[in-house]
């Protein structure tokens, strides 16, 4: 994991963007996650690895999957967790992000996990805390742990990422998942095609090393169909990105006639059934949507573990060594 | 009438010896001479002048230029004096080698009445370290609906008219204002932006915005408005000044209009000349968030070319102070604007002159005579008999941009950078307005 040095504070490892990682980091994290998979199959699913450590989950935007999975990941590692949501906190009283961070940092947390509706919020957090910072989604910018769990899911299903053809379909413009995944997938040697209406593909997106297509027919050639949610809540009023959801579904909806059984279908959730993906596809054998959620737990455990221990070159094996004896102790 | 105001101060009496003089209008291209200032006027320029009992400044190795003029400053007064006031803003100007500035009217309240304008002129007479002029708004409350009382504001001493901070959205409204400017003889200076193309924007639309997921402000968001307004100005035979041009497409429109004989002048900021949207990757709004936004390397190249060939007439800072805490927020939540008076010349010298992209003489012209002519102000000159409006520079000095600043705010686009060239003395309207501590030996 790359160092993201905040000014005036000791250098800390943070996970703010996929670009903070190199390929070796990603491999190490995925192997560590794999190591935690066996823990999840035990009767007692908790290990004492991070006992005495504190993880703050700070969510300024609604979330089911990400917040529950970070919280459970920390608990499975025996860390103490505090979950703060924007509503019902001092944020409602006008407290600034800086002051919220200064306040929570007074408890000396080891990790601050932050989700925020505005790009760059995690970067602000690093300037005001000694804790490691994990970006759980900032605006339309980045969502690096989603990418890690997606890579993990693809590897489990196909055995590799290198050389795969992946189509990311839909509202790329408003998607932090797309931006993280383009970086993560291309880093591991997949080829990415963005498929969607010209209004929802950012201008000059090709500079990210992807192919652009406006035709849903181009799904036919890919190994993985990664469907994005239409993020209506991020769209400006009256912006007219698509004439209607009906027309969007007709032209770019992922429906059974557009998917072959050998293709994987993924979606970061929450899904709009009948808009970007049909119910039949979401519930089909091709769908890996539930696997993605499961993968979220072990990959987030791996991220917390990695940040709070010295990274090693042996990756997952080292994680297992640290986990196994302790696990027995608890059992 | 005199449209610039400053506080009374004792006139300078100095012998500045051995500086290399640059002033295109006076035919000076770096010749080493002595300059005697007597009672605030350049009394003599020559070699081996005698001190005659007045203080001598040993300026060997230093460079003297006409004082700079900045036609685009936000002094945040009245209303936001904790961000900047007339005293601090004009001190910052003097520290940057400026001998005159023009302040924008998007204050609280807006400068849209003779009463507000009169109050400002009065305060400038008490506080301004360098001569300061004030634009009045084009429309009441900057709302783009009703014209201000332009003739009354002109009579009270307005330097021109601008709704800067926002465009004049209605073409019909702009047409009336241009027609009516014949009554006042004062120029309109326009912020060009089509809000339907820039709604929600955070930065330049391009490869970097695609990657960062920040909503983009395309170059055409500026240039379609530039094109529209140049057509109206041409039709009405009215002069026009365009603020902070940032896009290559706008440059093309201006070049075309000038060939057609439109009486247009245009300005470009040091940050648009020196920086690109790559800087936004750090997501620090204090240095890289402004309107118009930092643009692509291709836009920057077009701006530099246009500065060199005269399509762009002036460099103007768009000095826009903000409270520190307002910029210590996520990029998308921060207000637009950066300060630039203290770094303008050094930034342009470092990024354009030192690498050989634009000559020193051209930069001096675009920062002094260019803006003076655009707004019909006295042109600073290194000439016997002229009022002493000059700046002395150490072009060999490298310095790191960091607080403390003379400005009350700290949101500087060049913060943390090493710049070359520093203003050691500024004489504005015949008085010493700035003197770097080290030269006061």
């Amino acid at each position: 994991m790359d160092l993201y040095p905040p000014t005036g504070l000791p250098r800390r490892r943070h996970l703010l963007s996929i670009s903070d990682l190199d390929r070796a980091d990603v491999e190490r994290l995925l192997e560590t996650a794999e190591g935690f998979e066996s823990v999840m199959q035990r009767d007692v699913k908790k290990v004492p690895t991070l006992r005495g450590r504190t993880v703050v989950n700070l969510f300024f935007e609604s979330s089911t999957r990400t917040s529950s999975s970070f919280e459970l990941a920390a608990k499975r590692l025996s860390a103490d967790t505090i979950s703060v949501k924007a509503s019902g906190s001092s944020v409602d009283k006008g407290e600034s992000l800086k002051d919220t961070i200064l306040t929570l940092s007074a408890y000396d947390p080891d990790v601050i996990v932050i989700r925020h509706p505005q790009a760059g919020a995690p970067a602000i957090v690093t300037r005001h805390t000694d804790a490691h910072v994990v970006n759980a989604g900032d605006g339309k910018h980045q969502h690096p742990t989603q990418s890690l769990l997606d890579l993990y899911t693809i590897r489990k299903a196909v055995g590799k990422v290198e050389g795969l053809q992946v189509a990311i379909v839909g509202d790329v413009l408003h998607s932090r998942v797309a931006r993280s995944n383009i970086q993560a997938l291309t880093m591991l040697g997949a080829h990415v095609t963005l498929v969607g209406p010209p209004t929802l593909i950012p201008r000059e997106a090709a500079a990210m090393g992807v192919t652009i297509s406006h035709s849903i027919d181009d799904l036919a050639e890919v190994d993985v169909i990664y469907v994005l949610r239409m993020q209506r809540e991020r769209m400006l009023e009256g912006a007219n990105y698509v004439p209607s959801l009906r027309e969007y579904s007709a032209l770019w909806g992922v429906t059974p006639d557009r998917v072959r059984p050998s293709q994987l279908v993924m979606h970061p959730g929450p899904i709009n059934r009948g808009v970007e993906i049909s119910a039949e596809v979401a519930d089909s054998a091709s769908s890996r949507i539930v696997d993605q959620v499961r993968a979220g737990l072990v990959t987030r455990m791996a991220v917390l573990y990695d940040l709070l221990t010295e990274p090693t070159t042996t990756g997952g094996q080292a994680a297992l060594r640290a986990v196994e004896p302790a696990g027995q102790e608890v059992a | 009438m005199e449209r610039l105001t400053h506080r009374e101060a004792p006139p300078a009496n100095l012998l500045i010896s051995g500086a290399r003089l640059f002033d295109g209008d006076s035919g000076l291209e770096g010749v080493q001479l002595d300059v005697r200032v007597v009672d605030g006027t350049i009394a003599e320029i020559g070699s081996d002048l005698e001190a005659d009992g007045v203080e001598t400044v040993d300026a060997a190795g230093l460079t003297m230029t006409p004082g700079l003029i900045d036609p685009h400053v936000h002094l945040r007064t009245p209303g936001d004096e904790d961000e900047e006031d007339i005293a601090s803003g004009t001190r910052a100007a003097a520290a940057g080698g400026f001998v005159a500035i023009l302040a924008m009217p998007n204050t609280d309240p807006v400068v849209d009445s003779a009463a507000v304008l009169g109050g400002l002129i009065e305060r400038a007479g008490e506080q301004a370290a360098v001569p300061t002029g004030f634009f009045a708004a084009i429309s009441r409350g900057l709302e783009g609906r009703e014209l201000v009382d332009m003739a009354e504001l002109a009579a009270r001493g307005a330097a021109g008219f601008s709704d800067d901070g926002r465009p004049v959205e209605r073409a019909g409204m702009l047409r009336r204002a241009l027609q009516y400017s014949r009554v006042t003889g004062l120029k309109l200076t326009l912020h060009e932006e089509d809000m339907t193309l820039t709604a929600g924007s955070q930065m330049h639309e391009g490869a970097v915005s695609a990657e960062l997921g920040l909503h983009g402000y395309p170059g055409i968001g500026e240039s379609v408005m530039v094109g529209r307004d140049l057509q109206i100005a041409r039709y009405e035979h009215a002069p026009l000044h365009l603020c902070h041009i940032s896009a290559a497409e706008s440059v093309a429109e201006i070049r075309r209009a000038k060939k057609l004989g439109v009486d247009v002048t245009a300005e470009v900021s040091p940050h648009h000349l020196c920086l690109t949207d790559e800087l936004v990757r750090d997501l620090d709004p204090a240095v890289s968030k402004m309107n118009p936004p930092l643009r692509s390397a291709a836009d920057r190249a077009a701006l530099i070319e246009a500065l060199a060939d005269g399509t762009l007439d002036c460099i103007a800072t768009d000095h826009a102070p903000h409270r520190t805490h307002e910029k210590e927020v996520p990029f998308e939540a921060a207000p637009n604007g950066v300060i630039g008076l203290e770094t303008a010349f050094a930034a342009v010298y470092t990024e354009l002159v030192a690498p050989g992209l634009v000559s020193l003489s051209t930069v001096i012209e675009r920062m002094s005579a260019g803006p003076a002519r655009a707004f019909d102000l006295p042109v600073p000159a290194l000439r016997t008999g002229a009022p002493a409006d000059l700046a002395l520079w150490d072009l060999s000095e490298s310095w790191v941009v960091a607080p403390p600043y003379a400005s009350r705010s700290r949101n500087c686009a060049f913060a943390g950078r090493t710049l070359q060239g520093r203003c050691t003395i500024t004489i504005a309207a015949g008085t010493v307005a700035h003197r770097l501590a080290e030269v006061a030996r």
Side-chain angles (χ1 to χ4, degrees):
Chain A
M1 214 169 290
D2 195 13
L3 293 166
Y4 195 101
T7 47
L9 287 171
R11 285 161 75 90
R12 286 260 170 218
R13 292 191 306 141
H14 304 297
L15 179 55
L16 304 191
S17 163
I18 287 294
S19 60
D20 292 342
L21 305 173
D22 62 21
R23 191 164 176 161
D25 295 321
V26 173
E27 299 285 356
R28 184 182 69 245
L29 286 162
L30 295 181
E31 282 171 38
T32 306
E34 183 80 43
F36 285 124
E37 189 91 28
S38 63
V39 176
M40 292 308 101
Q41 280 149 19
R42 295 179 194 157
D43 287 345
V44 177
K45 297 181 172 57
K46 191 161 178 156
V47 291
T49 316
L50 298 185
R51 191 151 58 190
R53 306 288 202 144
T54 305
V55 176
V56 172
N57 291 312
L58 186 52
F59 278 68
F60 290 88
E61 198 179 66
S62 60
S63 162
T64 306
R65 257 154 289 265
T66 308
S67 68
S68 60
S69 110
F70 265 111
E71 185 162 350
L72 193 55
K75 288 189 162 136
R76 292 276 162 92
L77 293 167
S78 300
D80 297 320
T81 62
I82 306 170
S83 291
V84 180
K85 298 209 186 306
S87 62
S89 72
S90 297
V91 174
D92 276 351
K93 300 172 190 165
E95 187 173 60
S96 72
L97 179 59
K98 176 181 175 178
D99 287 311
T100 303
I101 297 306
L102 291 174
T103 300
L104 293 169
S105 294
Y107 303 130
D108 296 324
D110 297 285
V111 179
I112 294 177
V113 176
I114 177 168
R115 163 165 297 188
H116 199 282
Q118 288 158 334
I124 299 277
V125 176
T126 62
R127 292 181 197 132
H128 304 296
T129 184
D130 286 334
H132 301 273
V133 177
V134 178
N135 180 2
D138 62 330
K140 305 183 285 288
H141 178 217
Q142 280 278 318
H143 193 356
T145 60
Q146 176 73 41
S147 298
L148 291 170
L149 75 86
D150 288 334
L151 293 176
Y152 186 86
T153 305
I154 294 172
R155 268 234 297 233
K156 281 286 246 196
V158 189
K160 58 163 189 174
V161 175
E162 178 102 43
L164 292 183
Q165 297 283 334
V166 180
I168 298 178
V169 187
D171 180 6
V172 177
L173 187 67
H174 297 96
S175 175
R176 56 191 170 216
V177 174
R179 289 184 175 82
S180 284
N181 274 1
I182 289 166
Q183 290 179 350
L185 288 162
T186 52
M187 187 197 297
L188 263 64
H191 182 265
V192 176
T193 303
L194 305 180
V195 181
T199 50
L200 291 174
I201 306 282
R203 191 181 168 83
E204 296 185 40
M208 290 185 279
V210 300
T211 303
I212 311 287
S213 163
H214 305 307
S215 167
I216 198 73
D217 296 340
D218 288 335
L219 291 191
E221 303 306 315
V222 304
D223 303 297
V224 179
I225 299 171
Y226 196 100
V227 191
L228 298 172
R229 185 169 63 87
M230 279 293 271
Q231 305 213 55
R232 279 173 281 175
E233 76 282 3
R234 293 192 195 285
M235 293 183 187
L236 298 166
E237 190 134 332
N240 285 314
Y241 288 110
V242 291
S244 69
L245 290 180
R246 196 172 141 268
E247 177 154 313
Y248 176 83
S249 302
L251 268 65
W252 292 284
V254 177
T255 49
D257 55 304
R258 289 168 175 166
V259 180
R260 284 181 288 110
S262 61
Q263 293 176 310
L264 293 189
V265 176
M266 300 173 68
H267 190 301
I271 66 177
N272 296 315
R273 286 175 186 253
V275 180
E276 71 268 1
I277 186 168
S278 72
E280 294 89 331
V281 174
D283 299 334
S284 71
S286 298
S287 169
R288 290 292 177 279
I289 296 172
V290 177
D291 293 345
Q292 286 175 272
V293 179
R294 201 170 293 122
L297 180 59
V298 287
T299 43
R300 286 173 179 127
M301 287 172 76
V303 166
L304 294 175
Y305 174 85
D306 196 276
L307 286 172
L308 292 176
T309 54
E310 284 303 308
T312 62
T313 48
T314 47
Q317 283 172 9
L320 276 177
R321 270 203 301 280
V323 168
E324 285 296 346
Q328 282 154 14
E329 193 184 305
V330 166
Chain B
M1 78 178 280
E2 185 55 71
R3 298 187 184 277
L4 301 176
T5 315
H6 62 98
R7 68 163 185 242
E8 289 303 316
N13 284 286
L14 281 176
L15 178 66
I16 303 170
S17 72
R20 298 188 314 127
L21 273 52
F22 279 87
D23 180 4
D25 281 4
S26 306
L28 298 167
E29 290 283 349
V31 56
Q32 193 171 355
L33 289 168
D34 300 344
V35 174
R36 186 195 308 283
V37 176
V38 176
D39 289 335
T41 297
I42 296 178
E44 197 176 358
I45 298 177
S47 298
D48 303 319
L49 301 184
E50 293 296 323
D52 289 342
V54 302
E55 183 192 355
T56 303
V57 175
D58 175 8
L62 303 184
T63 298
M64 187 186 292
T65 69
L68 311 182
I69 294 179
D70 189 347
H72 193 140
V73 174
H74 296 274
L75 286 178
R76 301 299 190 217
T77 302
D80 292 298
E81 286 87 346
D82 52 334
E83 293 181 333
E84 199 77 283
D85 62 18
I86 293 173
S88 66
T90 54
R91 266 201 311 276
F98 290 94
V99 298
I101 61 172
L102 300 180
M104 285 296 173
N106 60 337
T107 49
D108 183 16
V110 172
V111 186
D112 59 4
S113 69
V116 176
L117 177 64
L120 277 175
I121 291 170
E122 207 168 289
R123 277 159 87 171
E126 294 157 3
Q127 298 173 12
V130 303
T132 300
F134 297 92
F135 288 109
I138 294 170
S139 66
R140 269 183 233 283
L142 306 176
E143 285 173 1
R145 284 200 288 270
E146 294 173 66
L147 287 181
V148 298
D149 290 335
M150 295 176 93
E152 185 186 11
L153 282 154
R156 189 64 189 85
F161 295 91
S162 182
D163 272 3
D164 181 57
R166 51 172 83 169
V168 178
E169 288 187 64
R170 300 177 188 191
M173 166 89 190
L174 180 70
R175 184 186 176 198
R176 295 293 174 241
L178 281 172
Q179 289 174 321
Y180 204 76
S181 68
R182 277 189 217 124
V183 175
T184 64
L186 294 175
K187 226 180 216 183
L188 304 190
T189 169
L190 300 179
H191 170 121
E192 299 292 32
E193 177 177 1
D194 182 325
M195 308 283 272
T196 67
L197 288 169
T198 66
S201 66
Q202 297 286 335
M203 66 174 296
H204 173 62
E205 178 171 277
V208 181
S209 69
E211 189 178 326
L212 293 179
L214 292 169
H215 204 81
Y217 176 154
I220 56 165
E222 176 180 280
S223 67
V224 299
M225 210 64 156
V226 168
R228 183 198 80 172
D229 293 349
L230 289 172
Q231 284 195 40
I232 299 171
R234 185 177 180 216
Y235 185 76
E236 291 297 341
H237 303 287
L240 189 62
H241 181 82
L242 303 178
C243 295
H244 44 54
I245 291 302
S246 65
E249 295 92 338
S250 304
V251 168
E253 293 288 336
I254 296 164
R255 193 172 279 136
R256 199 166 63 95
K258 285 193 167 182
K259 282 204 186 102
L260 292 170
V262 179
D263 186 3
V264 57
T265 51
E267 67 188 40
V268 58
S269 78
H271 47 273
H272 290 109
L273 287 169
C274 299
L275 307 171
T276 69
D277 58 349
E278 289 292 330
L279 189 63
V280 181
R281 288 184 190 281
D282 293 339
L283 293 173
D284 183 354
V287 302
S288 63
K289 185 170 180 183
M290 67 289 283
N291 178 1
L294 297 177
R295 298 213 182 266
S296 70
D299 287 301
R300 183 187 166 222
L303 295 174
I304 292 171
E305 187 193 357
L307 183 77
D309 73 16
T311 302
L312 297 174
D313 308 84
C314 321
I315 295 173
T317 63
D318 193 8
H319 178 87
H322 284 289
R323 296 169 187 90
T324 302
H325 72 86
E326 287 182 345
K327 285 283 202 178
E328 281 183 331
V329 297
F331 194 88
E332 291 184 78
N336 285 309
V338 289
I339 61 171
L341 284 166
E342 293 162 76
T343 51
F345 180 84
V348 173
Y349 184 79
T350 305
E351 301 295 340
L352 269 55
V353 178
L357 299 173
V358 181
S359 73
L360 179 59
S361 298
T362 298
V363 164
I364 294 165
E365 199 280 336
R366 304 291 187 267
M367 296 187 83
S368 182
R373 290 188 190 111
F375 289 97
D376 201 17
L377 303 172
V379 178
L382 301 183
R383 201 173 50 236
T384 303
D389 277 313
L390 59 87
L392 199 59
W393 306 89
D394 184 347
L395 296 181
S396 65
E397 189 185 332
S398 286
W399 54 292
V400 177
V401 179
Y405 302 122
S407 169
R408 283 215 168 141
S409 291
R410 307 166 61 142
N411 52 311
C412 182
F414 296 95
R417 284 171 188 267
T418 301
L419 299 181
Q420 197 186 336
R422 195 153 205 194
C423 182
T424 58
I425 289 181
T426 305
I427 302 181
T431 73
V432 177
H434 162 74
R435 194 156 186 180
L436 201 64
E438 299 94 90
V439 238
R441 298 165 270 200

